[in-house]
Amino acid sequence: MNFIETRGNDGSRPYNVSFSQAILSPIASYGGLYVPLTLPDLGEVFLEKHSESSYKTMAMDMLLAFGIDIDKDVLYEALDLYDDFDNSTNPVPVVKVQENLFVSELYHGPTRAFKDMALQPFGVVLSSIAQKKKEKYLILAATSGDTGPAALETFKNRANVQVACLYPDGGTSDVQRLQMVTEDASNLKVIGIHGDFDDAQNALKTLLDSDTFKAKLKEDHISLSAANSVNFGRIIFQIIYHIHSYLELVRMGEVKIGEKVYLNVPSGNFGNALGGYYAMKMGLPVEKIIIASNENNVLTKLINEGKYDLRDSSVVSTTSPAMDILKSSNVERILFDMFGAARTKELMIELQDNNNYTLSKDELYTLQTVFLADFCNGDEGKKYIKEAFLKGYLMDPHTATCFKANDTCAKEGVKSIVYSTAEWTKFSPTIANALTGEADAEDITALKSIAKEANVEIPDMINALFSKEVIYDTIINKEDIEKEILSFV
Ligand SMILES: *Cc1c(COP(=O)(O)O)cnc(C)c1O
């Protein structure tokens, strides 16, 4: 299968590219993104066939249906990483939490957040392409907390790949920072910067665009790449768990194949939601996709009013920080799929130039045939965390935004799959606050009080972080990032 561009072709690039090309250079003509030219049909026949399959068996069949240019043994190796999740036979458990509401837990991997679902296999795939091409890649990552640990974890000690990861000093939780600075492998570099996430992100963008930086890397025969969530190499692995979650409901006897369900996704950069959208297009019986946001509610306004408006907004810090995003990159792929390349290019230029765009009435109608949306503020989130806890379910603040959206968007009698994107251990101070009222606790204190209150164990890999040796203690100014990275490579 080949890939085409969301903003059309500028004449200087091929009209379509292979999967591995789309992975290695993810930015397309006019700053657009790569999207699959066609999608395989994975409707009821596929679902019936896999009603009793393991995650990996179904996943392999889906990947093969895509016909991507990656060797089968590499795909097997990539999917084998799911064996190391908590339950080696089922990486993504689905739990019934209340009547018609099921939580699909995407956080049972090594870094306890859903970024592992895609980045774990992606690391194997990218490294294998690099080895095959006999090229070396430097992956740059800027993180506000979850992507950094997951990227380091997947690329550590992998051949032909080095990773430099930037994080804002003081801008992540203790657990997230420790997950990065204690990760020990010679192909990794973790750099704290004085500044916030935007500073880290901007520094990264500047380097990705810098010809002199690229030229200096070329002297050492290294090419530059990024592992951000617009990379289709990550998206493809995010289609699988939507199909799996539906099949889990079938196996639980909760739905019969063909019955439609809601997919309810806590959204930031829209990668998770996009995976659900492609699954739906390929034939998964989906009623609608519910987009849950926090106070950074640009997506709620887009879906409910047809307006993407950043003119008076700046990012606000919330208790669900992985969703503190205003430019939600993967929305572009939906625009392309619904309205075509010419219109997508027009809308994206409007957003760049005027910081807003407005969909036509017909376009808004089309968007609403697939999506519903609402947002949840921090206090409401804590209320939902407490409520679910009293019914016996412990969840994180990102997941909580979906519970509100479910109350306001879902119609009665239709089942919902809510996606849980982080374990309670990653955002413990907020959860401790919701459960016991204690405020401003350090992570370690909050972890202990939740463990006691909920009678759960702190997982070993989280506990161990607090006594592990800190490998990277570099905190630098933005201006020194390039020098620091060059001396590392
Ligand atoms: C990344 C992340 C999200 C947002 O996912 P997108 O695919 O970017 O929409 C939500 N919750 C958590 C915990 C995350 O790490």
Side-chain angles (χ1 to χ4, degrees), residues 185-312:
S186 61
N187 67 330
L188 308 178
K189 176 81 185 173
V190 179
I191 306 167
I193 62 159
H194 299 295
D196 58 20
F197 172 63
D198 281 334
D199 294 321
Q201 174 106 330
N202 288 336
L204 179 138
K205 281 193 185 138
T206 309
L207 288 179
L208 284 172
D209 287 341
S210 160
D211 289 331
T212 54
F213 181 64
K214 281 184 222 164
K216 282 184 199 152
L217 290 176
K218 267 281 173 277
E219 288 170 19
D220 297 316
H221 309 284
I222 296 171
S223 311
L224 204 52
S225 190
N228 52 18
S229 73
V230 294
N231 198 308
F232 204 88
R234 283 177 59 176
I235 301 293
I236 197 166
F237 291 104
Q238 296 193 289
I239 301 171
I240 302 167
Y241 58 68
H242 291 287
I243 303 173
H244 164 83
S245 301
Y246 184 88
L247 285 172
E248 281 290 290
L249 291 200
V250 174
R251 288 188 274 266
M252 289 157 80
E254 293 284 352
V255 301
K256 287 210 172 56
I257 290 177
E259 180 179 338
K260 289 185 175 176
V261 301
Y262 290 110
L263 307 180
N264 187 336
V265 187
S267 296
N269 233 343
F270 222 74
N272 196 350
L274 181 72
Y277 177 76
Y278 285 137
M280 180 180 180
K281 294 264 302 184
M282 296 187 319
L284 194 71
V286 173
E287 175 74 24
K288 293 232 167 128
I289 301 173
I290 299 177
I291 302 301
S293 300
N294 62 25
E295 292 92 327
N296 297 291
N297 56 0
V298 277
L299 294 171
T300 315
K301 286 205 183 116
L302 175 68
I303 291 160
N304 291 338
E305 298 164 35
K307 294 189 168 71
Y308 204 109
D309 193 350
L310 304 179
R311 279 170 301 186
D312 296 316

Side-chain angles (χ1 to χ4, degrees), residues 113-115 146-147 229 238 265-273 322-323 325 396 398 421-422 427:
F114 104 106
K115 300 294 188 287
D146 287 336
T147 300
S229 73
Q238 296 193 289
V265 187
S267 296
N269 233 343
F270 222 74
N272 196 350
M323 295 152 70
I325 289 175
D396 102 297
H398 301 78
T421 46
F427 301 95

Side-chain angles (χ1 to χ4, degrees), residues 96-216:
K96 182 168 186 172
V97 173
Q98 61 197 48
E99 200 52 37
N100 291 338
L101 193 156
F102 302 81
V103 178
S104 171
E105 298 179 345
L106 301 175
Y107 57 73
H108 289 278
T111 71
R112 319 314 283 168
F114 104 106
K115 300 294 188 287
D116 289 329
M117 290 306 305
L119 275 167
Q120 280 285 303
F122 178 70
V124 172
V125 171
L126 188 76
S127 163
S128 87
I129 302 174
Q131 289 174 63
K132 214 168 155 182
K133 296 181 69 146
K134 300 200 167 48
E135 288 176 357
K136 279 198 208 148
Y137 283 87
L138 171 66
I139 311 265
L140 294 183
T143 187
S144 63
D146 287 336
T147 300
L152 296 167
E153 185 65 31
T154 193
F155 288 117
K156 74 175 174 197
N157 300 319
R158 287 214 187 279
N160 297 41
V161 182
Q162 288 175 290
V163 181
C165 176
L166 305 174
Y167 72 92
D169 183 41
T172 70
S173 74
D174 294 342
V175 165
Q176 290 170 325
R177 182 180 51 83
L178 289 170
Q179 282 181 322
M180 292 186 273
V181 298
T182 61
E183 191 77 274
D184 189 9
S186 61
N187 67 330
L188 308 178
K189 176 81 185 173
V190 179
I191 306 167
I193 62 159
H194 299 295
D196 58 20
F197 172 63
D198 281 334
D199 294 321
Q201 174 106 330
N202 288 336
L204 179 138
K205 281 193 185 138
T206 309
L207 288 179
L208 284 172
D209 287 341
S210 160
D211 289 331
T212 54
F213 181 64
K214 281 184 222 164
K216 282 184 199 152

Side-chain angles (χ1 to χ4, degrees), residues 421-478:
T421 46
E423 187 178 57
W424 60 274
T425 53
K426 287 207 91 167
F427 301 95
S428 55
T430 300
I431 301 168
N433 181 246
L435 299 189
T436 68
E438 74 185 272
D440 302 322
E442 306 249 316
D443 278 30
I444 186 70
T445 318
L447 285 167
K448 284 181 183 154
S449 59
I450 298 167
K452 185 159 162 259
E453 187 75 15
N455 198 16
V456 287
E457 301 256 332
I458 303 172
D460 290 342
M461 71 266 261
I462 298 290
N463 242 336
L465 289 173
F466 293 93
S467 49
K468 261 171 114 175
E469 189 194 344
V470 170
I471 311 286
Y472 308 98
D473 51 10
T474 324
I475 313 284
I476 60 174
N477 289 319
K478 293 179 274 190

